[in-house]
Amino acid sequence: MTACVCPRKKPSRSAAVLAATLAMWIGMGAGQGATAGHGVRGVVVNSVTGQPIARALVDAGEDATLTDGEGRFALRLSSTEAQITVRRPGYSEKQEDTSHHVRVSAQMPELQFSLPPSASVLGRVTLSNGDEAEGIRFTAYRRQIVEGHVRWMPAGMAVSNSEGVFQFSGVEATAWYMVCSAEVSDHPAAPGPDAMVFGYASACFPGGNDLSPAAQLAVMPGQQKELEIPLTRQRF
């Protein structure tokens, strides 16, 4: 019997295309593995209590995530430097508290970011005639140093409810505040020349016209400061 020496059969065009496609995919995968970047891990904690903060947003631009129940997060970054912001409702939104410049490298140590909890100011209004203190407007002023001089800048507005209670939530801390009421008149429209007008003059708390440090409201991170606001009815 004579053995048949046959020419090798060439692969079909479709098979060649499939092989080339598979090779391209494999090459792309290898390239991605080489440039996938570095793992960045860490934890976000409350700056006052040291407790971990769950569901805080950790955003590095190219990757972002929420912290888990233990305040931990993991990112994958290809850049060698990153600006990472950390935010959570109920905590400071100031840039110096939320934004962090980080150098990224292989086997870098875990990061720890701390967020100061927001503060609040709650006031209770009582009127000298015993009426309900509803609908009175209040403005909070925060003490700031501008070009070496003390300036009192508006930091929010609030209106008392039917129980005479108002609140400024999410105020910046550490900071010093004054809270001032708007004038309340029995006659919102312009009265006649002989009319007797009564109401409540505007007033500031806690120190009135005294702007010394001892008469200011010092608010620390996480605090809820309370003010008692007595207003006396008088003739204007």
Side-chain angles (χ1 to χ4, degrees), residues 27-227:
M28 289 176 63
Q32 289 177 349
T35 61
H38 305 295
V40 177
R41 298 178 179 274
V43 62
V44 179
V45 300
N46 183 310
S47 67
V48 175
T49 66
Q51 295 298 310
I53 302 174
R55 300 193 63 77
L57 174 63
V58 183
D59 187 355
E62 64 178 290
D63 195 11
T65 187
L66 293 175
T67 56
D68 62 16
E70 297 179 345
R72 310 198 71 81
F73 66 88
L75 301 171
R76 196 75 182 175
L77 305 179
S78 59
S79 303
T80 56
E81 295 188 3
Q83 198 72 24
I84 300 178
T85 59
V86 184
R87 291 189 175 89
R88 178 74 164 85
Y91 290 83
S92 173
E93 297 181 357
K94 293 196 299 185
Q95 184 175 0
E96 56 264 38
D97 295 327
T98 62
S99 186
H100 309 272
H101 185 80
V102 175
R103 295 186 181 276
V104 181
S105 61
Q107 298 180 346
M108 61 185 294
E110 288 196 348
L111 303 172
Q112 178 171 305
F113 300 133
S114 59
L115 277 177
S118 295
S120 63
V121 176
L122 182 142
R124 294 184 177 88
V125 186
T126 55
L127 302 182
S128 61
N129 64 355
D131 287 348
E132 288 187 356
E134 182 178 8
I136 302 176
R137 291 183 295 108
F138 291 87
T139 303
Y141 294 90
R142 180 163 57 92
R143 182 179 182 270
Q144 293 182 299
I145 304 298
V146 180
E147 297 180 350
H149 299 282
V150 175
R151 296 287 186 269
W152 288 92
M153 309 299 292
M157 295 187 65
V159 179
S160 58
N161 61 19
S162 60
E163 297 179 347
V165 175
F166 65 90
Q167 184 170 14
F168 297 97
S169 300
V171 301
E172 292 187 16
T174 302
W176 285 259
Y177 290 88
M178 296 286 286
V179 176
C180 299
S181 64
E183 181 180 289
V184 179
S185 172
D186 291 347
H187 298 276
D194 298 326
M196 297 180 61
V197 180
F198 291 85
Y200 300 88
S202 61
C204 294
F205 301 86
N209 294 326
D210 181 3
L211 297 181
S212 66
Q216 300 166 18
L217 188 68
V219 181
M220 302 300 178
Q223 281 188 331
Q224 177 175 282
K225 301 291 272 190
E226 297 188 4
L227 282 174

